[in-house]
Amino acid sequence: MHGTTGTTSQRNVIVVGAGPTGLLLAGDLAAAGVPVTVVERRRQGISNLTRAFGVHACTLEQLDARGLADELVTTGQIVTRLRLFGSLALDISDLPSRFPYLLVTPQFEVEKLLMRRAEKNGATFVYGAEVTGLAQDDAGVTLDVRREDGTAETLRAAYAVGADGVRSAVREALDLPFPGHSVIKSIVLADVLLAQEPDRTAAVNGMGTAFGFLIPFGDGYWRVGGWDRTRGEIPDTAPVELDELREIARRAFGSDFGMHDARWMSRFHSDERQVPRYRVGRVLLAGDAAHTHSPAGGQGMNTGLQDAANLGWKLASVVNGQAPEGLLDSYHDERHPVGKAVLRSSGALIRLAMAHNPLQRGLRSLLTLIAGNVRPVARRAIGQITGIGYAYGAPRGAHPLTGRRVPDIELQEGRLYEALRAGRFVLITPRDTEVDHDERLTVAHWASDRRTTLLVRPDGYAAWASETAGTESVAAQIATSEMRVSWRPARRRTSIPRN
């Protein structure tokens, strides 16, 4: 049987993949009134393997802008210190964020909230369906889909987004390269109980031929993972025994902490890869389909969710006729450099943890000493791991705030991230200023006497700012599209932006 599904208006979007990245994007598009269909290979009700376990501050801010963060926090364990290589403790409790911590919670808790929001906003889901082909033209994208029963179907949309993971069928259909290499051939993961619990920090360490990490969940279980250099290549399908992980932990941490009663175990290999382009015509890639990193720092799922937050409002604006198609190029320009930077930072962590010869371990000791005693270095590391240290490029001569993440500012009307829940730009003006505006904009006022006029994008980054703008100047900036599309490539900030 062969059928064709799609809308004649070609205002719809197909998102391939119902992991965290695809679900956040689908929820954003549906909330903006864009008809969206999510195509998922898994059957309905089958969750992803819970490899991701940590939600960082920048991601929690994005979830806060969707009214989900406070509920998610109740599902997990708050961790305010990251312990690296035994001696380096990074305190993240003073982050300039409403969420100065790492939230340790299983990936399925994130998916559950995002799924509920996407369904509530009207997203349609097609389960048990695999993409087998893709073609695009000037008017839209055609996807060939095969269901589990062998039924073939053709889906048509204005745009398509591949958020279907490391083995992305969308990326393969585009014939895009995925250059990179495997970093670790066989990582063992498990959720276990510990007879002797260490300090409730997120710990990463490596000694000799073993690398390991310990992450506390809030329900008594700990996520334990590790790699044994001496075991060589082991296929991902090889069975996992708890004794293997006990031995890795003893060599990496000096103890196996009496681990017992594993409720979940898995084995996988870790790659570092990134596509050269996040956009090919009317098809875009996000999350693990566009980049994959080592597990050090727990940045993989977070980077994908940030991709979705950046892409969602732009794609909705284009589909709804509120912005030119060129706005979609800024998605690649802004997010590709961030993905590349995450590859570097997570790769550096994993290589330092795996240091085994005297020269490498000496370098690790030196870097640990510097990071532990030089505050700017520690701030840079924390900013990269938590995501709040990244900023997007801005046109030459722009206000210093342009392109930077905006903290959760107190407004006369409440908090900034509450105002962002409408999915619109938020214009923050001095308390005595009034601005004529349309439905695409929310106008708010500083709670303080600050005179800056600041335009905040729906993803929480500054689009434009002025210290002297009057009402006419603000209105002119809002009316022109250049403020939305004239970004230069993103650059990495070396410090955490503060309000």
Side-chain angles (χ1 to χ4, degrees), residues 119-402:
E119 290 178 336
K120 179 180 179 181
N121 287 336
T124 300
F125 287 81
V126 178
Y127 292 100
E130 182 177 2
V131 172
T132 58
L134 181 151
Q136 59 177 313
D137 51 45
D138 291 342
V141 182
T142 301
L143 292 176
D144 296 325
V145 174
R146 183 177 62 244
R147 294 181 180 263
E148 284 185 324
D149 61 2
T151 302
E153 191 172 2
T154 300
L155 305 178
R156 179 76 174 170
Y159 293 90
V161 181
D164 49 341
V166 174
R167 298 178 180 85
S168 170
V170 175
R171 187 186 65 241
E172 292 179 3
L174 291 170
D175 199 26
L176 278 176
F178 202 32
H181 58 276
S182 293
V183 183
I184 299 178
K185 302 297 184 181
S186 178
I187 296 178
V188 181
L189 292 179
D191 292 349
V192 300
L193 296 174
L194 302 180
Q196 302 94 36
E197 289 194 354
D199 292 340
R200 286 192 165 267
T201 59
V204 177
N205 200 25
M207 292 293 291
T209 59
F211 153 76
F213 57 86
L214 288 164
I215 310 291
F217 285 105
D219 58 358
Y221 277 86
W222 289 67
R223 167 63 53 83
V224 183
W227 172 63
D228 182 350
R229 186 190 300 274
T230 65
R231 292 178 63 88
E233 294 191 26
I234 302 175
D236 293 350
T237 55
V240 180
E241 299 292 340
L242 195 54
D243 283 343
E244 178 183 354
L245 195 53
R246 288 190 181 107
E247 177 60 24
I248 293 173
R250 281 193 290 266
R251 286 195 277 135
F253 295 102
S255 172
D256 64 13
F257 306 102
M259 64 178 69
H260 62 95
D261 289 330
R263 65 180 177 185
W264 175 82
M265 292 192 292
S266 180
R267 188 190 302 275
F268 73 103
H269 67 279
S270 175
D271 288 356
E272 291 178 348
R273 301 182 184 276
Q274 186 179 31
V275 292
R277 292 293 303 176
Y278 284 14
R279 180 192 179 197
V280 179
R282 290 178 171 268
V283 184
L284 303 104
L285 296 173
D288 288 350
H291 48 76
T292 181
H293 321 92
S294 82
Q299 300 172 81
M301 178 180 70
N302 289 271
T303 306
L305 289 168
Q306 294 293 321
D307 289 345
N310 183 287
L311 176 59
W313 68 269
K314 295 175 180 178
L315 189 52
S317 296
V318 171
V319 171
N320 288 331
Q322 297 171 340
E325 189 178 2
L327 177 62
L328 296 178
D329 288 332
S330 71
Y331 167 64
H332 169 87
D333 292 342
E334 293 181 346
R335 293 306 301 172
H336 189 276
V338 173
K340 187 175 182 179
V342 172
L343 254 72
R344 289 173 177 168
S345 62
S346 61
L349 282 175
I350 202 79
R351 285 165 177 80
L352 288 172
M354 294 190 304
H356 64 285
N357 65 45
L359 179 60
Q360 291 172 336
R361 295 183 66 179
L363 176 61
R364 184 176 74 183
S365 297
L366 176 61
L367 293 175
T368 299
L369 180 65
I370 294 173
N373 292 277
V374 181
R375 183 57 181 164
V377 176
R379 283 170 54 83
R380 174 175 177 173
I382 292 170
Q384 291 176 348
I385 292 172
T386 63
I388 71 171
Y390 293 110
Y392 301 138
R396 187 181 301 276
H399 190 281
L401 288 177
T402 305

Side-chain angles (χ1 to χ4, degrees), residues 403-441:
R404 298 178 66 178
R405 160 195 160 271
V406 182
D408 192 18
I409 296 168
E410 286 294 333
L411 307 170
Q412 281 189 334
E413 296 81 2
R415 297 188 295 112
L416 170 62
Y417 280 78
E418 291 174 331
L420 287 170
R421 292 175 186 175
R424 299 192 292 262
F425 280 74
V426 176
L427 182 69
I428 307 174
T429 67
R431 290 189 293 184
D432 56 356
T433 302
E434 294 184 6
V435 178
D436 292 332
H437 62 282
D438 59 24
E439 71 281 356
R440 293 175 296 172
L441 186 71

